[in-house]
Amino acid sequence: MEFKPKWIAWEITRRCNLRCVHCRSSSEMEIKGHPDFSTGEAFGILDNISGYAKPVVVLSGGEPLIRTDVFDIARYGAGKGLRMCLATNGTLVTDEICGRIKDSGIKIVSLSLDGSTELVHDDFRNEKGAFSGTVNAARLFKEHGIEFIINSSFTKRNQEEIPKVYRLAKELGATAWYMFMIVPTGRGEEIMNELISKEDYEDILEWHYRMEKDEPDMLVRPTCAPHYYRVVLQKAKEEKSKFERRTLKFSTGGSKGCIAGQLICLINVDGDVFPCSYFPKSAGNVRRQSFKEIWEDSELFRDLRDFKKYKGKCGSCEYINVCGGCRARAYSVYGDYLDEEPFCSYMPAKMTKKIVK
């Protein structure tokens, strides 16, 4: 596997007009100690990245539309040959914003939708009116010809909504739907007891496999659910069939489960570089080092790319190369990012043989 940066999430602000229960950065409107960097510094970071690689760069937050210079940043990145994208909760989207999105060179936008009704979504987002804001944003994107993805996060409180949210994403005209299985970081640590059980997790991934196979008219991806790739191989083997999957040119480019620090990373508002959006351990800082140096030489990234170092069931699993287990979830639950995926119920063949003996 070639370890080149394909996709970078960039937290350009930690400020947000919502206060979602699962927020990895514990964002809210006034954040102390994590100020926004200047437009000039933003341009410097884009120079740093583009001098080394040409990944997808997702302007994220917090809520990136709070920054008045978000479109200047996007336009500068596009001019450097980077594929610029935007991640928003949708509540601040207007006709004017849509025009500026198109003019800035942003290629695709992701929207957040965590329930099929106002009751469920607004509860998850801790803000009345959040659902109507997201639905309205989707309508505006369609009217203005802006391609968009819908990201949906799930815990026990909304897991029964999964098929309904998928159907709503299709109705709204999304190019793709990404089903996120919560990693408890940031504010998400407060809902650790709401994480979907191992057993339900497996059932949900099997549902996703059937849905993706039988209704291939929209690109879909389980995210932060690396053992889905094991499920796909198992099912394809059982059915003696090859499973063809659609791709999206603005995706992470992954052909396996966990690709944290392998194909993707996050740069936070302080300049720290993390393996992914849910992995709160820094590999370096772009204010003190080049992005190339961090990507190629950090001990953390090197560890994540060395599958022989993985422990527990993951270290013994025959699906290590296609799954890898969620490194962020292992770090969150066990404090060791090389430990086994805590929410996988599969027992590796190697370990099963030992038990039988």
Side-chain angles (χ1 to χ4, degrees):
M1 184 177 178
E2 186 180 18
F3 301 112
K4 291 291 185 181
K6 301 291 186 183
W7 185 92
I8 298 173
W10 185 15
E11 181 188 66
I12 63 171
T13 184
R14 194 162 290 186
R15 293 177 295 147
C16 188
N17 59 323
L18 302 183
R19 200 175 183 279
C20 308
V21 297
H22 64 302
C23 181
R24 59 151 194 88
S25 60
S26 300
S27 290
E28 48 191 292
M29 203 59 195
E30 296 299 327
I31 296 290
K32 295 180 180 179
H34 301 280
D36 295 351
F37 43 80
S38 68
T39 307
E41 186 173 3
F43 291 171
I45 291 173
L46 291 169
D47 288 338
N48 191 341
I49 294 169
S50 62
Y52 171 56
K54 294 292 188 286
V56 173
V57 176
V58 182
L59 302 179
S60 183
E63 173 48 58
L65 291 178
I66 286 177
R67 282 195 67 138
T68 58
D69 61 353
V70 59
F71 300 113
D72 298 321
I73 295 171
R75 188 174 295 107
Y76 188 85
K80 287 289 179 177
L82 299 168
R83 290 170 289 173
M84 303 302 292
C85 304
L86 178 74
T88 175
N89 60 43
T91 58
L92 303 180
V93 174
T94 61
D95 282 301
E96 180 189 357
I97 290 294
C98 287
R100 298 185 72 187
I101 287 172
K102 296 189 76 171
D103 291 342
S104 69
I106 288 172
K107 299 297 185 182
I108 197 166
V109 181
S110 68
L111 277 173
S112 301
L113 183 66
D114 306 314
S116 65
T117 65
E118 184 176 50
L119 180 66
V120 178
H121 179 83
D122 288 2
D123 172 67
F124 216 79
R125 297 276 157 177
N126 267 326
E127 184 71 30
K128 188 172 178 57
F131 178 79
S132 61
T134 297
V135 171
N136 183 60
R139 177 186 62 81
L140 288 171
F141 289 156
K142 289 294 289 183
E143 288 181 3
H144 287 267
I146 297 171
E147 197 171 5
F148 67 96
I149 294 168
I150 286 181
N151 294 330
S152 303
S153 299
F154 296 101
T155 66
K156 287 179 180 177
R157 77 167 67 184
N158 65 337
Q159 72 179 78
E160 297 301 321
E161 286 278 293
I162 291 175
K164 298 175 185 177
V165 174
Y166 161 66
R167 288 194 292 272
L168 179 55
K170 287 180 66 174
E171 291 171 10
L172 292 173
T175 294
W177 177 63
Y178 287 6
M179 179 184 76
F180 280 74
M181 307 303 275
I182 285 293
V183 179
T185 59
R187 196 175 292 126
E189 292 180 356
E190 299 172 15
I191 55 170
M192 186 78 77
N193 64 335
E194 290 190 34
L195 298 182
I196 294 170
S197 70
K198 291 182 183 181
E199 296 74 21
D200 286 353
Y201 207 142
E202 196 79 7
D203 289 342
I204 290 167
L205 294 182
E206 291 199 14
W207 167 83
H208 196 288
Y209 171 82
R210 292 190 301 273
M211 175 271 292
E212 183 177 0
K213 184 179 178 184
D214 298 339
E215 300 184 49
D217 53 333
M218 182 173 72
L219 186 144
V220 291
R221 286 285 186 277
T223 306
C224 302
H227 28 309
Y228 181 64
Y229 288 78
R230 181 254 304 163
V231 170
V232 166
L233 288 181
Q234 286 177 309
K235 294 297 181 184
K237 186 177 180 180
E238 287 174 12
E239 298 166 5
K240 296 181 180 179
S241 63
K242 186 177 180 181
F243 188 41
E244 299 289 345
R245 310 192 77 204
R246 291 180 60 200
T247 58
L248 181 66
K249 61 183 176 180
F250 300 107
S251 72
T252 57
S255 58
K256 67 180 289 286
C258 185
I259 49 178
Q262 298 171 37
L263 297 176
I264 67 171
C265 68
L266 164 79
I267 302 175
N268 79 354
V269 73
D270 302 318
D272 289 311
V273 179
F274 299 102
C276 77
S277 299
Y278 304 99
F279 199 139
K281 184 175 178 63
S282 177
N285 189 290
V286 292
R287 287 173 168 166
R288 298 186 293 272
Q289 305 159 270
S290 71
F291 179 78
K292 179 179 186 291
E293 179 185 355
I294 297 168
W295 184 265
E296 293 186 352
D297 299 331
S298 75
E299 181 181 357
L300 173 56
F301 283 3
R302 286 180 178 273
D303 280 347
L304 295 173
R305 297 165 189 167
D306 186 354
F307 305 149
K308 293 179 181 177
K309 287 188 175 182
Y310 288 16
K311 304 172 185 177
K313 290 196 300 181
C314 288
S316 299
C317 189
E318 64 271 29
Y319 294 103
I320 184 69
N321 290 321
V322 296
C323 171
C326 178
R327 298 299 97 212
R329 197 173 283 117
Y331 185 61
S332 175
V333 174
Y334 300 127
D336 183 352
Y337 55 80
L338 294 174
D339 213 326
E340 67 187 31
E341 158 69 60
F343 283 83
C344 176
S345 59
Y346 179 72
M347 182 63 70
K350 190 184 297 184
M351 299 182 76
T352 302
K353 288 177 182 177
K354 287 182 180 180
I355 293 173
V356 171
K357 287 181 180 180

